Amino acid sequence: MALSTLEKLEILADAAKYDASCVSSGAGKRNSRGTGGIGSTNGMGICHAFTPDGRCVSLLKILLTNFCTFDCAYCVNRRSSNVERARFSVEEVVELTLNFYKRNYIEGLFLSSGIIKSADYTMEQMIEVARKLREEHLFRGYIHLKTIPETSPELIATAGLFADRLSINIELPSDKSLIEFAPEKNVGTIRKAMAQVRVRIEEAKAERRAPRFSPSGQSTQMIVGADGTSDGAILRASETLYSSYGLSRIFYSAFSPIPDSSKSLPSAPPPLQREHRLYQADWLTRFYGFETSEIIAGDEMLDLDMDPKLAWALKNRAAFPVDVVSGSRDALLRVPGLGTRTVDRLLIMRKHCSPRLDDLRRLGVSVKKVLPFISTVDHRPRSLLDSHDLKARLVPARQLSLF
């Protein structure tokens, strides 16, 4: 019996939940006002996630189909998996996107797919969804397409003309693990496709003219905990990916055990806190001036009990306290509890006055967290070198599980 669109939606929305790479993506502001089109973006990428300023945004996140010719051991939709299958037509995805938008359920579309017939055939179907939305329905909302690495360069080039962002999953942090768990996938092909997207994006930026190509850049996803790769190796691999392919974002997705999977895969997921710590470490290297070697120094695994910035501070107590009045931007960024926006606002404030603790409170700083690491006109901490109980005071005790 043929499935209804609603039944397909239930299956294919659930199947898409394992892809984490749809978090806010920085689409440029665009709206349909005065153009006769439909939809808008608000300057942020769209998905079921929280943006940096705390807003929750919504995205229709689905697979075109969960049929797949590949048999990747870690994937619930692999060829040999015993799951209920479904497939949308192009028209069904377009209609769902428009109807959901008009009902104010969503602000955009994240579309991925299993591979059917061939990579090119599948990618053509996904591109056709985006083309119809953009050209026939004048949809101005956010569109993120998951690109299939084996797709021809011409199709990737076309996809970037309709999508705000393209993403190509690197899947696993080590080439060895990808060969073991996804032998039908080729590491070289994945990297070649990512390089092609980077070149196209850079060319479009250099020309500064329409049509733009994937204006929000490209991203990738890395599964964490499916193999024995350490946090240090993951962060070093990420460092290489950022520098080699100009990625806008790398998403870390904790491995989720699936039914009837390979015995070489873990039977239990890694702690979700590990995924969180990797995101924090990733942020430190991209926006706070840290090197991976500093964050991982002496241990290949991140401390699950405290964030990596605090862990670094406790290991490098001689670097503190930092004077809020005279400290450099780089030094202030290394203070636990101070973010990039707060530091930039402090630097502006310093032009007019000498910031005090009350000024930090007005900036929304958790003064209790920063007190041991800063000095101000009205505060001077005792030496951190003498504070043997500092970690106990700053790191909350972990609550034991009842189960």
Side-chain angles (χ1 to χ4, degrees):
M1 186 177 68
L3 296 173
S4 68
T5 300
L6 186 61
E7 289 170 327
K8 292 179 185 179
L9 180 61
E10 184 176 357
I11 294 169
L12 296 174
D14 184 69
K17 68 184 179 184
Y18 297 99
D19 202 314
S21 56
C22 64
V23 177
S24 55
S25 309
K29 290 187 177 181
R30 181 176 63 240
N31 63 66
S32 55
R33 198 172 301 164
T35 68
I38 294 174
S40 64
T41 61
N42 58 1
M44 299 297 299
I46 312 299
C47 70
H48 287 122
F50 289 96
T51 63
D53 61 2
R55 293 179 300 106
C56 184
V57 291
S58 57
L59 167 78
L60 177 58
K61 179 184 177 184
I62 56 175
L63 299 184
L64 183 67
T65 180
N66 63 344
F67 286 100
C68 193
T69 60
F70 283 5
D71 203 33
C72 306
Y74 50 80
C75 182
V76 70
N77 298 313
R78 67 192 183 278
R79 184 176 64 242
S80 61
S81 181
N82 185 26
V83 296
E84 188 173 11
R85 307 286 182 173
R87 176 182 172 182
F88 280 127
S89 68
V90 169
E91 289 72 22
E92 284 176 316
V93 178
V94 171
E95 185 177 351
L96 280 170
T97 303
L98 295 174
N99 287 341
F100 275 38
Y101 177 80
K102 290 173 182 177
R103 288 170 172 77
N104 202 30
Y105 295 160
I106 62 166
E107 298 169 85
L109 171 69
F110 175 94
L111 184 62
S112 184
S113 183
I115 299 174
I116 46 175
K117 294 187 179 180
S118 69
D120 278 2
Y121 174 81
T122 307
M123 199 70 224
E124 285 171 353
Q125 298 289 295
M126 295 172 66
I127 291 171
E128 184 62 7
V129 169
R131 188 199 67 77
K132 280 180 174 288
L133 284 170
R134 294 290 195 222
E135 294 186 345
E136 296 182 15
H137 299 279
L138 303 182
F139 182 70
R140 300 291 186 263
Y142 179 79
I143 296 179
H144 182 151
L145 294 181
K146 178 55 62 66
T147 307
I148 301 169
E150 295 78 13
T151 298
S152 68
E154 294 76 19
L155 287 175
I156 292 179
T158 303
L161 299 179
F162 299 116
D164 290 283
R165 170 168 286 183
L166 299 179
S167 58
I168 301 171
N169 283 357
I170 198 72
E171 305 288 3
L172 293 167
S174 79
D175 295 352
K176 179 181 177 182
S177 295
L178 188 65
I179 293 170
E180 178 183 356
F181 295 120
E184 294 162 300
K185 292 190 175 181
N186 184 285
V187 175
T189 300
I190 294 173
R191 295 182 184 275
K192 184 177 179 181
M194 293 171 74
Q196 180 194 348
V197 172
R198 176 179 186 171
V199 169
R200 293 276 183 177
I201 291 172
E202 291 177 346
E203 287 176 347
K205 287 180 178 178
E207 292 176 4
R208 295 184 180 180
R209 63 179 183 179
R212 296 183 300 169
F213 184 91
S214 188
S216 295
Q218 71 166 319
S219 60
T220 193
Q221 174 173 300
M222 196 181 294
I223 300 171
V224 175
D227 61 2
T229 306
S230 68
D231 292 341
I234 290 172
L235 291 173
R236 287 188 288 273
S238 296
E239 204 169 48
T240 299
L241 289 169
Y242 278 123
S243 61
S244 299
Y245 306 107
L247 299 180
S248 299
R249 187 81 183 269
I250 294 176
F251 293 87
Y252 305 95
S253 177
F255 171 70
S256 180
I258 55 180
D260 305 316
S261 64
S262 167
K263 292 183 179 179
S264 57
L265 288 169
S267 58
L272 283 178
Q273 190 73 327
R274 183 184 178 193
E275 178 186 300
H276 181 56
R277 296 297 183 220
L278 284 167
Y279 276 117
Q280 290 177 319
D282 180 283
W283 222 250
L284 291 180
T285 59
R286 294 170 61 206
F287 302 112
Y288 288 78
F290 282 82
E291 299 289 336
T292 297
S293 56
E294 294 179 282
I295 300 170
I296 295 297
D299 190 352
E300 280 293 294
M301 299 301 290
L302 296 168
D303 192 326
L304 297 182
D305 291 330
M306 70 178 106
D307 71 78
K309 191 177 184 182
L310 177 59
W312 180 88
L314 293 178
K315 290 178 181 177
N316 295 272
R317 300 188 182 194
F320 302 98
V322 175
D323 192 328
V324 169
V325 177
S326 61
S328 68
R329 184 177 189 274
D330 289 343
L332 289 168
L333 284 175
R334 292 187 173 236
V335 174
L338 293 185
T340 54
R341 291 184 182 179
T342 300
V343 169
D344 288 339
R345 292 170 70 186
L346 268 175
L347 294 178
I348 295 172
M349 183 184 291
R350 284 190 340 193
K351 297 178 181 179
H352 309 287
C353 67
S354 297
R356 307 170 75 89
L357 290 181
D358 281 344
D359 294 315
L360 294 180
R361 290 188 180 95
R362 280 191 285 272
L363 290 177
V365 174
S366 172
V367 172
K368 180 180 179 182
K369 187 171 184 177
V370 302
L371 277 179
F373 303 99
I374 62 167
S375 61
T376 64
V377 174
D378 56 343
H379 167 71
R380 182 79 187 179
R382 64 175 180 170
S383 173
L384 264 68
L385 296 174
D386 300 328
S387 304
H388 300 296
D389 63 337
L390 189 58
K391 179 178 178 180
R393 289 192 286 118
L394 293 174
V395 180
R398 185 185 294 183
Q399 184 174 352
L400 297 177
S401 172
L402 296 176
F403 305 100

